[in-house]
Each structure stands twice: as structure tokens, then as C-alpha cells.
Amino acid sequence: MKALAVDSAVTRLSIAAKNDDKTVSAVYDIGMKQSETLLPSINYILNKAGLKTTELDYTVLCAGPGSFTGLRLSFAALKAVEHAGNVPLYGIPTLEAYAQPYRHLPFAVVSVVDAKKDKFYAAVYDGEKETLTAGDYEIKTVADLLKEKTELLICGPDAKLFAAEAAEFIKDKKVYVMPFTEVTTDSLFMLAEQRISQNIPPLKDFDGPLYLRASEAEVHLTD
């Protein structure tokens, strides 16, 4: 299949294009500079893969949670591709994408992104089951769910931070803290094609990023 994947959920931007058995990918660890990097990088990656947007079978992105600005940028870019060439767009929950490489292992997988304010965006997976729905949680809430587990794997861009801050709650467990993989787009391709094979529909026109926490502007409106 021919496809384009973008992960802009965190400050490290990952982009990949797949042209059947050939994949071209790039990672930009540039902090909050995605707005000036995303579109030129998409064009560059597509050119390197020998693809035009009209040839794509689908596009896929991390749908959130994550950076408010980063998610909006990738949605805008790939929805433009969708509308210009009738290319279906698939959205994969960010925490699911980060956990995907480890879900075949025989213990709980905790996927985390730092949500600041002493909380983490987190989800917990046991094989095919999501035992903690992706949400905005205090560390103890996640740890309480894991109290019966003897082994844990923690993944995601803030796995090391979560493990350190949760140490007092998980000290009786064997814990594997995974370095954050640079090529998160491999998981996006795999999960999108699973959805295609299961006839799960792509995102609708009105579907947007998944935000698990209200923005500061929304909070002020309710004050």
C-alpha cells in the first residue's frame, strides 16, 4: 500500500511515507517548531518515496492526546490531502500507537505522555485489552489499577519520568522502562492497515484531535 503517516503529538515530529515495500521516514527533534517544518517535510518525504499525494491509499496520524498545536497542524495538513485527492484519513490514539510494539508481551503495558500539573495522559493494555482507558490521570490512580501486577512495561516519550514519579507505588514490581522509539510511524501504518482490513471507517470530516484536558482558554470560560 501507499501511505503517509505523521506523529506530531509530542515535540519530536515523525513523518514517513510508504510506497509498497519501500519506506522513507524522518524524525525532527526540534521542540516547538512544527509549524515551519511539517509541510516542507511532508513534501520532502513524499518526493524521496517517489509518491504524489494523489497516489496515496490512505494517510494516518496520531489523533491525541498530545500537543494542542502539533495535533491541529497534522490534522489540517492531512485533511487537506484528504479533500484534494479523496484520500481516507485514519486517526490512531497516541497512547495506543506508542504501546503497539509491546502489546504481544505477557505483562501490562503502561503508555504515558506527561500532561503536566502532576498528571499523565495514560492508558494500560493487557494484550488486546485496554484495561485503563486513555485519560488524564494522577499517578496514584494508574498505580492503583496495577497493584495486582508483578511485572510492568512503561513506554511513551515520558516513560522514564513516570517510572521515577511512580517509584513509591510500584517498588514491589519488576518494571521495564522502554526508551522512546524514534520511528513511531511504523506503528501508525500497522494500526491503520489493521483498521482497513477490519473495515473500520476512516475519520469523518468533522472528526478532530482528541483532547483529554480542556485548554486554558476553555477553563477561563468556565471560571
Side-chain angles (χ1 to χ4, degrees), residues 1-213:
M1 298 188 82
K2 304 179 191 302
L4 173 67
V6 176
D7 175 6
S8 62
V10 294
T11 56
R12 188 166 66 186
L13 173 65
S14 300
I15 303 171
K18 185 170 77 162
N19 190 348
D20 297 325
D21 60 349
K22 179 174 69 175
T23 301
V24 179
S25 59
V27 176
Y28 300 88
D29 197 357
I30 53 175
M32 303 303 291
K33 297 180 181 178
Q34 295 180 355
S35 60
E36 60 198 62
T37 305
L38 181 59
L39 292 179
S41 299
I42 286 175
N43 289 331
Y44 174 79
I45 292 297
L46 287 173
N47 287 337
K48 284 292 185 182
L51 285 171
K52 299 177 181 178
T53 56
T54 53
E55 298 175 308
L56 296 172
D57 295 305
Y58 69 89
T59 65
V60 59
L61 47 66
C62 279
S67 159
F68 181 85
T69 301
L71 293 172
R72 285 173 63 91
L73 287 169
S74 58
F75 265 84
L78 296 192
K79 279 184 177 288
V81 173
E82 177 187 28
H83 293 150
N86 196 28
V87 179
L89 168 60
Y90 287 84
I92 307 298
T94 302
L95 298 171
E96 181 183 352
Y98 296 164
Q100 190 277 329
Y102 312 108
R103 290 180 65 179
H104 65 287
L105 298 173
F107 33 76
V109 175
V110 185
S111 184
V112 293
V113 174
D114 186 12
K116 312 299 182 184
K117 300 181 180 178
D118 299 320
K119 289 188 175 183
F120 283 82
Y121 299 128
V124 178
Y125 303 90
D126 276 300
E128 293 303 310
K129 296 180 181 179
E130 184 182 54
T131 55
L132 177 66
T133 302
D136 182 10
Y137 298 108
E138 294 180 350
I139 293 171
K140 189 176 184 305
T141 301
V142 181
D144 284 346
L145 178 75
L146 301 167
K147 61 186 177 182
E148 302 299 325
K149 304 294 182 182
T150 58
E151 291 184 278
L152 309 173
L153 183 145
I154 306 172
C155 63
D158 300 301
K160 187 181 293 187
L161 176 64
F162 180 88
E165 296 194 4
E168 66 177 292
F169 303 113
I170 58 176
K171 59 187 176 184
D172 60 332
K173 307 179 191 307
K174 189 169 185 178
V175 179
Y176 308 92
V177 181
M178 304 308 295
F180 186 45
T181 176
E182 293 188 353
V183 190
T184 55
T185 46
D186 285 351
S187 292
L188 292 176
F189 286 135
M190 182 177 293
L191 291 165
E193 290 177 21
Q194 284 180 4
R195 284 159 167 74
I196 292 169
S197 68
Q198 296 165 4
N199 294 316
I200 296 173
L203 296 177
K204 298 180 175 62
D205 280 348
F206 53 80
D207 287 332
L210 172 64
Y211 300 120
L212 298 182
R213 176 183 290 176

